[in-house]
Every structure is written in structure tokens, then in C-alpha cells.
PDB file of all heavy atoms in Angstrom:
ATOM      1  N   GLY I 190       7.161   6.081  11.412  1.00 90.00           N
ATOM      2  CA  GLY I 190       7.587   7.443  11.705  1.00 90.00           C
ATOM      3  C   GLY I 190       9.084   7.599  11.844  1.00 90.00           C
ATOM      4  O   GLY I 190       9.620   8.704  11.661  1.00 90.00           O
ATOM      5  N   ASP I 191       9.795   6.512  12.165  1.00 90.00           N
ATOM      6  CA  ASP I 191      11.253   6.596  12.325  1.00 90.00           C
ATOM      7  C   ASP I 191      11.992   6.336  11.024  1.00 90.00           C
ATOM      8  O   ASP I 191      13.228   6.283  11.004  1.00 90.00           O
ATOM      9  CB  ASP I 191      11.719   5.605  13.394  1.00 90.00           C
ATOM     10  CG  ASP I 191      11.404   4.157  13.023  1.00 90.00           C
ATOM     11  OD1 ASP I 191      10.673   3.942  12.029  1.00 90.00           O
ATOM     12  OD2 ASP I 191      11.873   3.252  13.743  1.00 90.00           O
ATOM     13  N   GLY I 192      11.257   6.170   9.919  1.00 92.00           N
ATOM     14  CA  GLY I 192      11.885   5.856   8.641  1.00 92.00           C
ATOM     15  C   GLY I 192      12.026   4.376   8.383  1.00 92.00           C
ATOM     16  O   GLY I 192      12.453   3.974   7.305  1.00 92.00           O
ATOM     17  N   GLY I 193      11.681   3.563   9.367  1.00 94.00           N
ATOM     18  CA  GLY I 193      11.725   2.120   9.177  1.00 94.00           C
ATOM     19  C   GLY I 193      10.519   1.624   8.395  1.00 94.00           C
ATOM     20  O   GLY I 193       9.568   2.370   8.138  1.00 94.00           O
ATOM     21  N   GLU I 194      10.574   0.365   8.017  1.00 95.00           N
ATOM     22  CA  GLU I 194       9.479  -0.233   7.268  1.00 95.00           C
ATOM     23  C   GLU I 194       8.659  -1.125   8.188  1.00 95.00           C
ATOM     24  O   GLU I 194       9.166  -2.094   8.754  1.00 95.00           O
ATOM     25  CB  GLU I 194      10.020  -1.046   6.090  1.00 95.00           C
ATOM     26  CG  GLU I 194      10.657  -0.177   5.020  1.00 95.00           C
ATOM     27  CD  GLU I 194      11.148  -0.979   3.817  1.00 95.00           C
ATOM     28  OE1 GLU I 194      11.090  -2.215   3.863  1.00 95.00           O
ATOM     29  OE2 GLU I 194      11.585  -0.347   2.833  1.00 95.00           O
ATOM     30  N   LEU I 195       7.382  -0.798   8.316  1.00 95.00           N
ATOM     31  CA  LEU I 195       6.475  -1.610   9.108  1.00 95.00           C
ATOM     32  C   LEU I 195       6.102  -2.884   8.363  1.00 95.00           C
ATOM     33  O   LEU I 195       5.951  -3.944   8.970  1.00 95.00           O
ATOM     34  CB  LEU I 195       5.213  -0.820   9.443  1.00 95.00           C
ATOM     35  CG  LEU I 195       5.417   0.489  10.206  1.00 95.00           C
ATOM     36  CD1 LEU I 195       4.108   1.257  10.299  1.00 95.00           C
ATOM     37  CD2 LEU I 195       5.967   0.207  11.597  1.00 95.00           C
ATOM     38  N   GLU I 196       5.943  -2.783   7.059  1.00 95.00           N
ATOM     39  CA  GLU I 196       5.586  -3.937   6.233  1.00 95.00           C
ATOM     40  C   GLU I 196       6.264  -3.823   4.875  1.00 95.00           C
ATOM     41  O   GLU I 196       6.488  -2.724   4.373  1.00 95.00           O
ATOM     42  CB  GLU I 196       4.067  -4.029   6.014  1.00 95.00           C
ATOM     43  CG  GLU I 196       3.240  -4.214   7.265  1.00 95.00           C
ATOM     44  CD  GLU I 196       3.418  -5.577   7.910  1.00 95.00           C
ATOM     45  OE1 GLU I 196       4.010  -6.483   7.265  1.00 95.00           O
ATOM     46  OE2 GLU I 196       2.977  -5.748   9.056  1.00 95.00           O
ATOM     47  N   ARG I 197       6.563  -4.979   4.305  1.00 94.00           N
ATOM     48  CA  ARG I 197       7.045  -5.082   2.921  1.00 94.00           C
ATOM     49  C   ARG I 197       6.499  -6.401   2.399  1.00 94.00           C
ATOM     50  O   ARG I 197       7.101  -7.457   2.585  1.00 94.00           O
ATOM     51  CB  ARG I 197       8.566  -5.032   2.857  1.00 94.00           C
ATOM     52  CG  ARG I 197       9.136  -5.258   1.458  1.00 94.00           C
ATOM     53  CD  ARG I 197      10.642  -5.120   1.438  1.00 94.00           C
ATOM     54  NE  ARG I 197      11.040  -3.724   1.428  1.00 94.00           N
ATOM     55  CZ  ARG I 197      11.198  -2.984   0.344  1.00 94.00           C
ATOM     56  NH1 ARG I 197      10.985  -3.514  -0.858  1.00 94.00           N
ATOM     57  NH2 ARG I 197      11.558  -1.727   0.433  1.00 94.00           N
ATOM     58  N   MET I 198       5.319  -6.353   1.792  1.00 91.00           N
ATOM     59  CA  MET I 198       4.600  -7.568   1.413  1.00 91.00           C
ATOM     60  C   MET I 198       4.488  -7.721  -0.093  1.00 91.00           C
ATOM     61  O   MET I 198       4.252  -6.737  -0.796  1.00 91.00           O
ATOM     62  CB  MET I 198       3.189  -7.551   2.007  1.00 91.00           C
ATOM     63  CG  MET I 198       3.119  -7.874   3.478  1.00 91.00           C
ATOM     64  SD  MET I 198       1.418  -8.301   3.939  1.00 91.00           S
ATOM     65  CE  MET I 198       1.682  -8.750   5.651  1.00 91.00           C
ATOM     66  N   PRO I 199       4.625  -8.969  -0.585  1.00 90.00           N
ATOM     67  CA  PRO I 199       4.346  -9.214  -2.010  1.00 90.00           C
ATOM     68  C   PRO I 199       2.942  -8.752  -2.359  1.00 90.00           C
ATOM     69  O   PRO I 199       1.991  -8.984  -1.613  1.00 90.00           O
ATOM     70  CB  PRO I 199       4.481 -10.736  -2.141  1.00 90.00           C
ATOM     71  CG  PRO I 199       5.371 -11.139  -1.014  1.00 90.00           C
ATOM     72  CD  PRO I 199       5.045 -10.197   0.111  1.00 90.00           C
ATOM     73  N   CYS I 200       2.816  -8.072  -3.491  1.00 90.00           N
ATOM     74  CA  CYS I 200       1.536  -7.455  -3.856  1.00 90.00           C
ATOM     75  C   CYS I 200       1.291  -7.654  -5.344  1.00 90.00           C
ATOM     76  O   CYS I 200       1.930  -7.015  -6.176  1.00 90.00           O
ATOM     77  CB  CYS I 200       1.553  -5.964  -3.503  1.00 90.00           C
ATOM     78  SG  CYS I 200       0.061  -5.075  -3.978  1.00 90.00           S
ATOM     79  N   ASP I 201       0.336  -8.546  -5.672  1.00 86.00           N
ATOM     80  CA  ASP I 201      -0.012  -8.768  -7.071  1.00 86.00           C
ATOM     81  C   ASP I 201      -1.227  -7.955  -7.491  1.00 86.00           C
ATOM     82  O   ASP I 201      -1.807  -8.186  -8.543  1.00 86.00           O
ATOM     83  CB  ASP I 201      -0.263 -10.253  -7.337  1.00 86.00           C
ATOM     84  CG  ASP I 201      -1.383 -10.820  -6.475  1.00 86.00           C
ATOM     85  OD1 ASP I 201      -1.849 -10.113  -5.561  1.00 86.00           O
ATOM     86  OD2 ASP I 201      -1.787 -11.976  -6.713  1.00 86.00           O
ATOM     87  N   LEU I 202      -1.618  -7.012  -6.652  1.00 90.00           N
ATOM     88  CA  LEU I 202      -2.788  -6.181  -6.925  1.00 90.00           C
ATOM     89  C   LEU I 202      -2.419  -4.995  -7.808  1.00 90.00           C
ATOM     90  O   LEU I 202      -1.246  -4.634  -7.937  1.00 90.00           O
ATOM     91  CB  LEU I 202      -3.380  -5.673  -5.606  1.00 90.00           C
ATOM     92  CG  LEU I 202      -3.777  -6.742  -4.593  1.00 90.00           C
ATOM     93  CD1 LEU I 202      -4.104  -6.094  -3.251  1.00 90.00           C
ATOM     94  CD2 LEU I 202      -4.970  -7.548  -5.095  1.00 90.00           C
ATOM     95  N   SER I 203      -3.440  -4.374  -8.384  1.00 90.00           N
ATOM     96  CA  SER I 203      -3.240  -3.159  -9.171  1.00 90.00           C
ATOM     97  C   SER I 203      -2.736  -2.039  -8.261  1.00 90.00           C
ATOM     98  O   SER I 203      -3.376  -1.702  -7.262  1.00 90.00           O
ATOM     99  CB  SER I 203      -4.553  -2.751  -9.831  1.00 90.00           C
ATOM    100  OG  SER I 203      -4.508  -1.413 -10.266  1.00 90.00           O
ATOM    101  N   ALA I 204      -1.584  -1.464  -8.609  1.00 93.00           N
ATOM    102  CA  ALA I 204      -1.018  -0.391  -7.787  1.00 93.00           C
ATOM    103  C   ALA I 204      -1.952   0.807  -7.723  1.00 93.00           C
ATOM    104  O   ALA I 204      -2.059   1.468  -6.680  1.00 93.00           O
ATOM    105  CB  ALA I 204       0.346   0.024  -8.342  1.00 93.00           C
ATOM    106  N   SER I 205      -2.654   1.100  -8.807  1.00 94.00           N
ATOM    107  CA  SER I 205      -3.558   2.249  -8.812  1.00 94.00           C
ATOM    108  C   SER I 205      -4.757   2.015  -7.893  1.00 94.00           C
ATOM    109  O   SER I 205      -5.222   2.951  -7.224  1.00 94.00           O
ATOM    110  CB  SER I 205      -4.040   2.537 -10.235  1.00 94.00           C
ATOM    111  OG  SER I 205      -4.741   1.430 -10.776  1.00 94.00           O
ATOM    112  N   ARG I 206      -5.254   0.777  -7.828  1.00 94.00           N
ATOM    113  CA  ARG I 206      -6.371   0.471  -6.939  1.00 94.00           C
ATOM    114  C   ARG I 206      -5.946   0.551  -5.479  1.00 94.00           C
ATOM    115  O   ARG I 206      -6.682   1.047  -4.626  1.00 94.00           O
ATOM    116  CB  ARG I 206      -6.926  -0.925  -7.247  1.00 94.00           C
ATOM    117  CG  ARG I 206      -7.651  -1.030  -8.582  1.00 94.00           C
ATOM    118  CD  ARG I 206      -8.103  -2.462  -8.833  1.00 94.00           C
ATOM    119  NE  ARG I 206      -8.994  -2.908  -7.775  1.00 94.00           N
ATOM    120  CZ  ARG I 206      -9.106  -4.180  -7.385  1.00 94.00           C
ATOM    121  NH1 ARG I 206      -8.340  -5.110  -7.950  1.00 94.00           N
ATOM    122  NH2 ARG I 206      -9.949  -4.516  -6.433  1.00 94.00           N
ATOM    123  N   VAL I 207      -4.744   0.056  -5.189  1.00 96.00           N
ATOM    124  CA  VAL I 207      -4.232   0.139  -3.818  1.00 96.00           C
ATOM    125  C   VAL I 207      -4.036   1.598  -3.423  1.00 96.00           C
ATOM    126  O   VAL I 207      -4.412   2.020  -2.316  1.00 96.00           O
ATOM    127  CB  VAL I 207      -2.913  -0.646  -3.690  1.00 96.00           C
ATOM    128  CG1 VAL I 207      -2.314  -0.461  -2.300  1.00 96.00           C
ATOM    129  CG2 VAL I 207      -3.147  -2.131  -3.962  1.00 96.00           C
ATOM    130  N   ALA I 208      -3.452   2.388  -4.324  1.00 96.00           N
ATOM    131  CA  ALA I 208      -3.242   3.806  -4.035  1.00 96.00           C
ATOM    132  C   ALA I 208      -4.556   4.512  -3.759  1.00 96.00           C
ATOM    133  O   ALA I 208      -4.660   5.319  -2.827  1.00 96.00           O
ATOM    134  CB  ALA I 208      -2.514   4.463  -5.216  1.00 96.00           C
ATOM    135  N   GLU I 209      -5.585   4.229  -4.547  1.00 95.00           N
ATOM    136  CA  GLU I 209      -6.886   4.866  -4.358  1.00 95.00           C
ATOM    137  C   GLU I 209      -7.490   4.494  -3.017  1.00 95.00           C
ATOM    138  O   GLU I 209      -8.099   5.342  -2.349  1.00 95.00           O
ATOM    139  CB  GLU I 209      -7.827   4.458  -5.495  1.00 95.00           C
ATOM    140  CG  GLU I 209      -9.225   5.052  -5.403  1.00 95.00           C
ATOM    141  CD  GLU I 209      -9.236   6.573  -5.469  1.00 95.00           C
ATOM    142  OE1 GLU I 209      -8.237   7.153  -5.951  1.00 95.00           O
ATOM    143  OE2 GLU I 209     -10.242   7.170  -5.036  1.00 95.00           O
ATOM    144  N   ALA I 210      -7.322   3.239  -2.579  1.00 96.00           N
ATOM    145  CA  ALA I 210      -7.861   2.814  -1.292  1.00 96.00           C
ATOM    146  C   ALA I 210      -7.229   3.604  -0.146  1.00 96.00           C
ATOM    147  O   ALA I 210      -7.912   3.982   0.817  1.00 96.00           O
ATOM    148  CB  ALA I 210      -7.632   1.322  -1.088  1.00 96.00           C
ATOM    149  N   PHE I 211      -5.934   3.865  -0.232  1.00 97.00           N
ATOM    150  CA  PHE I 211      -5.272   4.659   0.805  1.00 97.00           C
ATOM    151  C   PHE I 211      -5.682   6.125   0.713  1.00 97.00           C
ATOM    152  O   PHE I 211      -5.992   6.766   1.730  1.00 97.00           O
ATOM    153  CB  PHE I 211      -3.749   4.528   0.676  1.00 97.00           C
ATOM    154  CG  PHE I 211      -3.187   3.289   1.311  1.00 97.00           C
ATOM    155  CD1 PHE I 211      -3.058   2.112   0.587  1.00 97.00           C
ATOM    156  CD2 PHE I 211      -2.790   3.285   2.631  1.00 97.00           C
ATOM    157  CE1 PHE I 211      -2.551   0.958   1.158  1.00 97.00           C
ATOM    158  CE2 PHE I 211      -2.269   2.157   3.230  1.00 97.00           C
ATOM    159  CZ  PHE I 211      -2.146   0.974   2.489  1.00 97.00           C
ATOM    160  N   ARG I 212      -5.690   6.669  -0.496  1.00 96.00           N
ATOM    161  CA  ARG I 212      -5.968   8.098  -0.655  1.00 96.00           C
ATOM    162  C   ARG I 212      -7.392   8.451  -0.233  1.00 96.00           C
ATOM    163  O   ARG I 212      -7.620   9.496   0.388  1.00 96.00           O
ATOM    164  CB  ARG I 212      -5.733   8.513  -2.104  1.00 96.00           C
ATOM    165  CG  ARG I 212      -4.267   8.597  -2.493  1.00 96.00           C
ATOM    166  CD  ARG I 212      -4.112   8.816  -3.976  1.00 96.00           C
ATOM    167  NE  ARG I 212      -2.724   9.011  -4.371  1.00 96.00           N
ATOM    168  CZ  ARG I 212      -2.222   8.666  -5.543  1.00 96.00           C
ATOM    169  NH1 ARG I 212      -3.008   8.104  -6.459  1.00 96.00           N
ATOM    170  NH2 ARG I 212      -0.956   8.868  -5.824  1.00 96.00           N
ATOM    171  N   VAL I 213      -8.358   7.608  -0.585  1.00 95.00           N
ATOM    172  CA  VAL I 213      -9.747   7.916  -0.281  1.00 95.00           C
ATOM    173  C   VAL I 213      -9.994   7.942   1.226  1.00 95.00           C
ATOM    174  O   VAL I 213     -10.951   8.570   1.688  1.00 95.00           O
ATOM    175  CB  VAL I 213     -10.690   6.911  -0.983  1.00 95.00           C
ATOM    176  CG1 VAL I 213     -10.695   5.567  -0.264  1.00 95.00           C
ATOM    177  CG2 VAL I 213     -12.103   7.467  -1.084  1.00 95.00           C
ATOM    178  N   ASN I 214      -9.112   7.288   1.978  1.00 95.00           N
ATOM    179  CA  ASN I 214      -9.238   7.296   3.432  1.00 95.00           C
ATOM    180  C   ASN I 214      -8.278   8.271   4.103  1.00 95.00           C
ATOM    181  O   ASN I 214      -8.120   8.253   5.323  1.00 95.00           O
ATOM    182  CB  ASN I 214      -8.996   5.887   3.980  1.00 95.00           C
ATOM    183  CG  ASN I 214     -10.209   4.994   3.811  1.00 95.00           C
ATOM    184  OD1 ASN I 214     -11.187   5.103   4.546  1.00 95.00           O
ATOM    185  ND2 ASN I 214     -10.159   4.113   2.823  1.00 95.00           N
TER     186      ASN I 214
END
């Protein structure tokens, strides 16, 4: 909420699949 980054993790997953997991919830 303050504009900081809580996480910045290496991600070899499909960006579209990750986006869908967040959006559906």
C-alpha cells in the first residue's frame, strides 16, 4: 500500500496463468 515491493521473485511460470489466478480471486 505504501508503493513498496512486498515480493520480487523469479518466475518461470506462464504470465497469463499467474494473472488469471489473481484475477479469478
Side-chain angles (χ1 to χ4, degrees):
D191 61 351
E194 292 182 354
L195 302 172
E196 298 291 348
R197 175 177 281 272
M198 283 197 176
C200 177
D201 59 351
L202 303 170
S203 163
S205 60
R206 290 177 59 209
V207 175
E209 179 62 20
F211 278 90
R212 286 172 175 150
V213 76
N214 281 284

